[in-house]
Every structure is written in C-alpha cells, then in structure tokens.
Amino acid sequence: MALSLAINLPPPLRDNLLRLQPLAPQFQFKFPIPSARIRCSSSFNHISLKMVRVTPNNNPLVCHFHTAQFGGEVRRRMIRRLWCVQSQSASSSLFSSTSTTITNNTKKSIVLLGAPQVSTIVLDALLTASALPHSSFEVAAIVTQPAARRDRGKKLMLSPLANYALDRGFSSHLIFTPQRAGDDTFLSDLKALQPQLCITAAYGNILPTKFLDIPSAGTVNIHPSLLPIYRGAAPVQRALQDGVKQTGVSLAFTVRALDAGPIIATETIEVDDHIKAPDLLELLFHKELPSIFDGSARVKAQPQDDSKATLAPKFCYFMQIGPDESWLFFDQEAPVLHNKVRAFSGWPGTRAKIQAVDKDGQKKTLEIKIITTRVCSHENEHFNEADDIAFVNGALVFPCGRGTSLEVLEVQLPGKNVVKAAAFWNGLRGQKLKKL
C-alpha cells in the first residue's frame, strides 16, 4: 500500500521530493497542507522522513522505508536527493511553528570541484569563510575524482579532497564522484542543488556546456599561472621547468576552450631558485582572490590575449603516449636538469641510471630517483674521468653539459626511503660511481 505525505514546501524543495516519485512509487507526495515541517535523515540502509504538522496536539507523523530493496544506483540517488532537501531545509528558516510565512535563505550555494591535496586549501578557505556570522555563501556540494587504486598496495582510496571534506564533517552524500562531468545522473543531482557558482581547483576533468549552463553565476577556475601563459594541466611544473623568475595565480571564468575564459583577477609572486612544484602549488593556492558575488566580475573580467598563450601539457610518463620525460640526461646543462628536478618533484619525479664499479671491476647498473639538487659551484677538477661521479661536501657531483656540474643532495633507490647523498655514498662501501 502506498504511503502518503502531505507537505507544504516552496517549489525548489518540493521539486526535489517529487523527483523521488518514480524511484519510490510507494510514496505519494501531496500538496499543500498549511504549516508543516519536514525533517530528513538517512543512513546506508534506510531513509527517514519526519513530517510535523501543526495541530493542537502537534503529533508527528513518522514514515520510514528501507532502501535495501532498491538497486545500488537507485538507493544512492534517493539518499542523495533527500540529503539535498535536508541541507536546504536546515540552512533556511523556511517554517515558523505559528505562521505559514516562508523566509528564504539568502546564502549563495557554491560547489567546489577538485581532487589533489592543493584543492583542500581552497575547500578549507571556503568552509572557514562560510562559517562566519555574516557569510554570503555556503558550500553545497563537492565534486571530485572517483576512488582509485593508489600506492604500492593498490588500495582503493578516495581523493585527497574527499578525505579532507569528510574529516571536516562534510556529508558523504554531498560528495559527487562522477567518471565524467557530463554524466546525466550527476548533472541531474547537481541541478537539484541549484548552485549559484561552481569553482574548480585542479579538478582535472573537462566540463561540458551542459555543466557550465547550470550555475547561475557561472563557473570559475583557480589556475596557477598568469594566464594566458601556461594554459593546460601542468602550469606550475612547466613554469619551473622553464626556470621562470615570476609566476602567479589567475581567477578566470571557465569556457569550453582550454583555460581561455575572461580573467577576473590575478596575483603575481616571485619564484625562488630552489622551490619545488608541490611547495609552489601550495603557495599559489593560498593566495586570496576577490569574491565574484557582487555582480561586478562579469563586467570587469578581461578577455585573454590568445596571441600570447602558451601551453603547459601534462607529463608523458611510463605508459602514456610519447617519450618518458622523467629521465635525466647529463649531456644537458646543470641548470636545465636542476629546473627539471624541481618541476617534476612529487610526481612523476626524476630518475637517472648510474653505474657502480667495485674493486674487481665488476659493474652494476643502478636506477635512482633524484630528489633534491642544486647547480654546482665546483669546477670539474674533481673528476678523474669524464663520466666519474664525485662526492664533495656531502653531495654527489655529476658532470654535465658545457662544463657545468650538478649537485645531488637526496636520492632514492627503488623500494627504499629517501636518503641524503652522504648516506647513499657510505652504503656503496668503496664502489666508484659513473654516469651512463
């Protein structure tokens, strides 16, 4: 037998509940009954709807139904949609126990899209700002990459952004993990939230037009470069690889063309000669950029000069198409190699093959990961032969192109921890090193 709920709700919340009708046919939603309040709660196995009617006895009508009878995808959609209703109801003064007057929530809904650790910097700033007494917005949902198998154990792990959101108490039902941002189910769920603004921070997926059409104030991207230079997936890494002395972060509207939307604001910073990509990324994402809720952003945003655009393509690594970029070749000059080590720090890293020669002349090829370097100030007089690797003042010194030298300060053998060059040298037990 069908259960009937009679609820007085404004159209946005009512529409959310009505979308459950085809999923839960045993529920019949009827409108309106004056002065009612709805409370929703859910777990993995059931959803509870509690409708409180204002009657002389104020007796609550509590209805439960178990979602285990439905398929996993249907169950997920039902729970998520009811949480959408709950989130909107909890954040609004929608009902009064003695009046039918509706007071709409004036806070604007934001959806954040991201995945890596740097995205958590943006989420932290948004959650902290939204909790302030006079905040004009709230984080309605988070969109991130699906769980993937990571690390040596190949465990299925959530993205860093999803993990951080859960640690901050964000509802798991409002964390979306679509395979593609154009998935119809995902877009339907997102549209139900009625977001005013979407913000991308290293999300990593292309956003189709039907996504961009949903937020009323548009979608903006926090891009760690001074657009239009270094458009693409790896702007910080490519900037460091090029040895730039200055970079920055841009806030720009998202359009279908890659990182080509009008620029709302930029901030510039000077680049230290020794900073690595993960540290520079974190520094850039900590920069404060202006709000766009006052309506001035679209008026003030400036189109990019496409003639000055440069690209920052993602890395070619292992099984990806193209050459493996992670190898170091010591016929190049030391500053070029040093910049590459900084740029590729974290992922994918830089590697080199060297040769260890014992006292009997036996040779063994070693593959090492180069972690930290600096351009050497020593002359090449430390090398007995052109391919010798010397150990000078706690560093492995590699002869490089055009008479330059590179100091390697930290290395890592496969399956081992990162160690200082001195510890690595001592572990050789008298073997000589040669570059390959």
Side-chain angles (χ1 to χ4, degrees), residues 103-122:
T103 304
N104 289 323
N105 182 14
T106 58
K107 284 196 172 186
K108 309 229 179 344
S109 297
I110 287 179
V111 173
L112 176 66
L113 296 88
Q117 191 65 36
V118 291
S119 303
T120 68
I121 299 170
V122 180

Side-chain angles (χ1 to χ4, degrees), residues 174-208:
L174 294 174
I175 299 176
F176 297 81
T177 58
Q179 290 290 343
R180 299 183 308 277
D183 289 348
D184 290 337
T185 300
F186 161 65
L187 291 176
S188 176
D189 291 339
L190 181 66
K191 191 176 296 184
L193 291 172
Q194 299 180 318
Q196 274 80 25
L197 177 70
C198 290
I199 300 174
T200 60
Y203 176 48
N205 273 0
I206 296 174
L207 301 179

Side-chain angles (χ1 to χ4, degrees), residues 93-271:
S93 299
L94 290 172
F95 299 102
S96 168
S97 60
T98 59
S99 171
T100 59
T101 302
I102 295 175
T103 304
N104 289 323
N105 182 14
T106 58
K107 284 196 172 186
K108 309 229 179 344
S109 297
I110 287 179
V111 173
L112 176 66
L113 296 88
Q117 191 65 36
V118 291
S119 303
T120 68
I121 299 170
V122 180
L123 177 58
D124 179 73
L126 290 174
L127 291 177
T128 300
S130 67
L132 296 176
H134 302 294
S135 171
S136 63
F137 68 89
E138 62 185 358
V139 181
I142 291 166
V143 182
T144 188
Q145 300 288 355
R149 299 194 182 279
R150 298 182 177 92
D151 300 334
R152 294 172 191 165
K154 298 299 181 183
K155 294 181 180 179
L156 195 63
M157 300 174 65
L158 298 173
S159 74
L161 180 63
N163 275 322
Y164 184 79
L166 293 172
D167 289 343
R168 287 290 300 261
F170 203 83
S171 169
S172 61
H173 303 293
L174 294 174
I175 299 176
F176 297 81
T177 58
Q179 290 290 343
R180 299 183 308 277
D183 289 348
D184 290 337
T185 300
F186 161 65
L187 291 176
S188 176
D189 291 339
L190 181 66
K191 191 176 296 184
L193 291 172
Q194 299 180 318
Q196 274 80 25
L197 177 70
C198 290
I199 300 174
T200 60
Y203 176 48
N205 273 0
I206 296 174
L207 301 179
T209 301
K210 55 186 178 180
F211 175 99
L212 299 176
D213 288 341
I214 292 176
S216 57
T219 298
V220 297
N221 179 36
I222 302 173
H223 188 78
S225 83
L226 296 174
L227 292 171
I229 60 174
Y230 295 113
R231 294 177 179 175
V236 167
Q237 292 86 345
R238 297 304 184 186
L240 288 180
Q241 190 176 4
D242 291 345
V244 301
K245 301 300 182 184
Q246 189 180 75
T247 188
V249 59
S250 303
L251 182 67
F253 282 108
T254 301
V255 296
R256 286 290 293 145
L258 180 65
D259 298 324
I263 298 172
I264 301 167
T266 61
E267 187 165 345
T268 302
I269 67 168
E270 302 300 315
V271 179

Side-chain angles (χ1 to χ4, degrees), residues 348-363:
T350 45
R351 300 174 293 158
K353 288 184 178 180
I354 59 176
Q355 200 171 67
V357 184
D358 64 19
K359 295 178 181 179
D360 298 326
Q362 297 294 317
K363 300 177 181 179

